[in-house]
Amino acid sequence: MDLQGQRVVVLGGTSGIGLATAESVARQGAVVTVASSRPSSVERALSLLPDGCEGRVADLTDARAVGRLFEDLGEFSHLVYTAGEPLTMMPVDTLDLDAARDFFGLRYFGALGAVRAALPYLRKDGSITLTTGIAKDRPGPGWAVAASICGAMEALTKALAVELAPVRVNVVSPGFVRSPLWSAMGEEERERMYAGIGASIPAGRVGEVEDIARAYLFLMTEPFATGTVLTVDGGNVLV
């Protein structure tokens, strides 16, 4: 898993799974750039990451801003896309379609736009690693939008793996993870959810961001992996 000297760009790499992934690849010798739309988030991330990491501010839903970002960065080896806003339940009977479109804007179209903008600068022996989730496999009430996005990301990954070869394209599918994605919930409610889900799955706990970061690191460094959906969920899809 040696990434010594390789340049890795992590979009959404300033918190949660993205930040843990940025730290993990930096410790494998990569030159890491993280990007977020909030300057304060970038500053905080750089205070936590190893020396030598870079941070950029860019609105990932703005195609021109993303294009300028990659033009400024130049050639690199690996793209990771983990950007996403805190999750909220969206029951169909009270669905706000504009809000639903906004979810797709960052999680799906943001990823697709980033891939398009990155291609002129991405090395042919490099990789793209996207993010989905087990909502596509185990949806519940209120999860129609989230499950749809996750399904779309899986389909996008497989299509891109064929179209962009020899660049490798893969996607990580986390289960329930203790991360800022659940920050919209109150602390007590969130901890009850973690405890309840952890007790119900084979691993006996919810995931930590470091667990999921290892999956991104594996897909970046495994030269025979492309079109792969790597599920890291503690066995949640089995029960």
Side-chain angles (χ1 to χ4, degrees), residues 8-195:
V8 179
V9 179
V10 186
L11 301 183
T14 59
S15 69
I17 290 170
L19 179 60
T21 300
E23 181 175 10
S24 178
V25 299
R27 297 199 183 284
Q28 295 298 322
V31 179
V32 180
T33 299
V34 297
S36 172
S37 62
R38 298 183 180 87
S40 60
S41 297
V42 173
E43 291 176 7
R44 176 183 176 275
L46 292 179
S47 72
L48 299 171
L49 289 169
D51 291 342
C53 293
E54 300 178 345
R56 301 298 174 93
V57 178
D59 180 354
L60 301 181
T61 64
D62 182 334
R64 291 183 180 179
V66 174
R68 289 192 297 270
L69 170 67
F70 285 106
E71 183 178 359
D72 186 43
L73 290 174
E75 187 180 70
F76 69 104
S77 295
H78 303 282
L79 172 64
V80 177
Y81 194 93
T82 62
E85 61 290 286
L87 296 169
T88 58
M89 301 297 99
M90 302 182 74
V92 173
D93 59 350
T94 58
L95 184 64
D96 181 336
L97 286 175
D98 288 335
R101 291 188 184 96
D102 287 343
F103 272 98
F104 269 89
L106 179 58
R107 291 175 175 270
Y108 177 83
F109 287 107
L112 181 56
V115 170
R116 183 186 66 173
L119 279 179
Y121 311 100
L122 183 61
R123 292 173 56 91
K124 298 304 181 185
D125 58 353
S127 74
I128 298 167
T129 310
L130 305 176
T131 305
T132 181
I134 63 167
K136 68 186 185 313
D137 307 303
R138 293 292 302 274
W143 284 87
V145 173
S148 298
I149 294 170
C150 290
M153 291 304 301
E154 179 173 338
L156 175 64
T157 297
K158 294 178 179 180
L160 291 177
V162 174
E163 182 173 347
L164 304 185
V167 172
R168 298 181 297 105
V169 187
N170 299 290
V171 66
V172 176
S173 181
F176 283 90
V177 179
R178 190 185 302 273
S179 83
L181 283 181
W182 304 102
S183 62
M185 300 174 66
E187 182 177 358
E188 291 186 7
E189 180 185 9
R190 189 168 61 242
E191 290 301 323
R192 283 196 301 270
M193 180 189 73
Y194 291 152

Side-chain angles (χ1 to χ4, degrees), residues 196-218:
I197 292 171
S200 69
I201 65 176
R205 63 175 177 87
V206 296
E208 303 293 340
V209 292
E210 293 79 11
D211 297 322
I212 314 304
R214 294 186 186 98
Y216 291 88
L217 179 59
F218 170 78

